[in-house]
Every structure is written in structure tokens, then in C-alpha cells.
Amino acid sequence: MPDRTPAEIAPAAVEQGVAKASRRWDSVAVGSFLAGAYIAFGALVAISVSSGMDPEFWGTLPTLFLGAAFTLGLVLVVVGGADLLTGNMMLLPMAVLRRRLRPVAVPKNLAIVLVGNLAGAVFVAYFFAVAAGVVGDVGSPPGSMELLTYERLVGITDSKGGSAGAWEVFLRAVACNWLVCLAIWLSLASDRVTGKILGIFFPIMAFVAMGFDHVVANMFFLPAAMFAGVPGLTWADVTINLSIATVGNLVGGAVFVALAYWYLYLKDEPG
């Protein structure tokens, strides 16, 4: 049995939203940088463990390994304590709906967190993925780990950087943060670290395996591809993808999780 029922998770989520919005901006900025870096580390290990797996032999299993490894990122955010844009897109609106926060607190917090997440993700992409040689480039030696990770990065970024239309990216982003915020919701059901990790694992593995767009993960994948010299990708493509993914993630978290669970468990409760 969980430590909290869904009806008990809802007020816990509200309290988290209030707490996140009440911290000083510099504390939020540092926590946001860490969260961007943590998600980037999850993305980097996901690339590493799923590289070199020929789809003709492995089929779709590489995406499963990619998703399973990527869960590290949100585990570090939730258990380690950090500020993730996509999670705050659910927690703060829920506190507003409960009338525990003023609406103006939401864009103020999300703006700081967005910049911090971007800085952390790009930092890891440049220094620890490309400059450190974990992800190679097109000139890496044939059969080397560096070339395999480069080719895996090319495959991941192809659909995100240019081949997918705006509507597709938006829908993938909505579905992505629906699942990400459900992972955070499920993690609130338990006070034990093992319970939190288990609650996080399956929704995160699922969204990554299905190729959905998470704006903070894309803050790593797309800049890393640019730094590695992936052809056919421009900074304009990166900006467009991140902009659309941000809007879609906001809809997924605020509407399909925050609004839905507020309606189910808090709407008729006394304030």
C-alpha cells in the first residue's frame, strides 16, 4: 500500500508548489541549474547504454534501454532535490487552483527555472558530453564508442530538430509532461526512496521509449548535437523545438495533471 492515497497526494503536491514558489530567486536559480544538469546526465547515460544496438537485430529494444537509463535524471531531481521546469508546471498551477498562490508567482518561477535548467543542460552537453569525448563526431574512429554515441545522438535528434512538424512536437510534448508529472505525482505517494524511484521509473521510461518531447531533455540533446557537428541541424531548429516543447509541456502538466487532480480531489474541499 502507498504511504498516501491519491486524495492525500493532492494536498502534498499543493504544499510542494507553495514551497517552490516561496524560495528566494537565487536559491531557485541554483536548484534549476542542478536539475538541468541532472536531466542531462540521465540523457547522456541513456545515449551511452543504447549506442551500437543495430535496430535490424534489436528492433525497438534500444528505445527501452534509452528510457530505462534516462530515469536517472528525474530520480536525481526528486530524491536529490532540485527545481525542474516540467515538474513546476504541475505543482505551481495546482497551488494556484487551491488558492494558496497568486497566479503571478507561476510565470515568475517558471522563467527563472527555465533559464537555470537551460544553463545546466547546456553545461553538461558541452563539457561532459562533447568536450570530454563521451559523444564523438563524424570523424571519430570507426567502431569506436565515440562514433557509436555520436550516431545514437544523430538518431535521437533527427526527429526533434527538423523532420517533425510543429503540431507533432506539440502533441509529443503534451503527452511527455503528462507522464513526467504523473511520475512526480506517484513519487509523492511514498516517503521512502525506493517507493519514489519505483513511482518515477515507469512513466519516465515510457515517455522516452515513445519518443515524446521533454523540453529540458531537449535542452541537452539538441545543443549536444550542435556542439558535435550533427549536419542539418541549426540553432533556429533548436529554438523552435524548445519553444514548442515548452508550450506543450505546460499544457500536459497544468491541464492533464494539475487541473484534473484538483478537480478530482480538491475542488470541493474547504480551503
Side-chain angles (χ1 to χ4, degrees), residues 2-270:
D3 294 326
R4 295 185 184 91
T5 66
E8 294 168 334
I9 295 172
V14 170
E15 293 303 321
Q16 276 215 3
V18 172
K20 287 183 176 293
S22 301
R23 289 171 35 229
R24 292 198 330 249
W25 74 269
D26 56 322
S27 175
V28 174
V30 172
S32 303
F33 178 89
L34 293 177
Y38 294 162
I39 294 298
F41 280 127
L44 183 55
V45 72
I47 290 174
S48 300
V49 302
S50 62
S51 296
M53 301 179 71
D54 186 352
E56 291 188 5
F57 178 81
W58 292 98
T60 58
L61 279 179
T63 61
L64 178 63
F65 292 128
L66 184 81
F70 184 84
T71 59
L72 168 70
L74 193 61
V75 169
L76 292 176
V77 169
V78 171
V79 179
D83 293 85
L84 184 64
L85 178 66
T86 46
N88 286 15
M89 287 173 172
M90 178 268 288
L91 295 170
L92 271 68
M94 201 160 187
V96 170
L97 289 168
R98 188 60 172 157
R99 299 184 179 178
R100 293 289 308 281
L101 276 183
R102 296 174 59 194
V104 70
V106 177
K108 178 181 177 182
N109 177 273
L110 295 186
I112 297 171
V113 174
L114 186 151
V115 174
N117 285 174
L118 178 62
V122 172
F123 182 84
V124 172
Y126 182 79
F127 287 104
F128 301 132
V130 178
V134 177
V135 173
D137 54 39
V138 70
S140 296
S144 66
M145 186 63 185
E146 291 83 0
L147 183 60
L148 293 177
T149 53
Y150 170 77
E151 292 173 345
R152 186 68 178 122
L153 181 62
V154 171
I156 292 170
T157 57
D158 178 59
S159 64
K160 300 179 183 298
S163 63
W167 181 239
E168 290 179 343
V169 173
F170 173 76
L171 291 177
R172 293 175 188 177
V174 172
C176 168
N177 210 30
W178 192 345
L179 288 168
V180 171
C181 289
L182 281 176
I184 294 173
W185 182 270
L186 294 179
S187 75
L188 291 171
S190 177
D191 290 324
R192 295 181 292 273
V193 171
T194 52
K196 290 183 181 295
I197 293 173
L198 187 61
I200 288 168
F201 181 84
F202 290 99
I204 300 303
M205 180 272 292
F207 102 71
V208 178
M210 290 185 284
F212 293 155
D213 281 81
H214 185 268
V215 63
V216 184
N218 289 2
M219 288 175 182
F220 167 82
F221 287 128
L222 297 179
M226 291 296 300
F227 299 144
V230 172
L233 184 67
T234 67
W235 284 112
D237 295 327
V238 175
T239 302
I240 290 170
N241 176 277
L242 296 182
S243 300
I244 298 171
T246 298
V247 176
N249 286 169
L250 180 60
V251 173
V255 175
F256 290 97
V257 183
L259 180 61
Y261 281 114
W262 167 81
Y263 187 86
L264 285 175
Y265 297 114
L266 298 174
K267 175 177 177 291
D268 298 322
E269 292 295 317

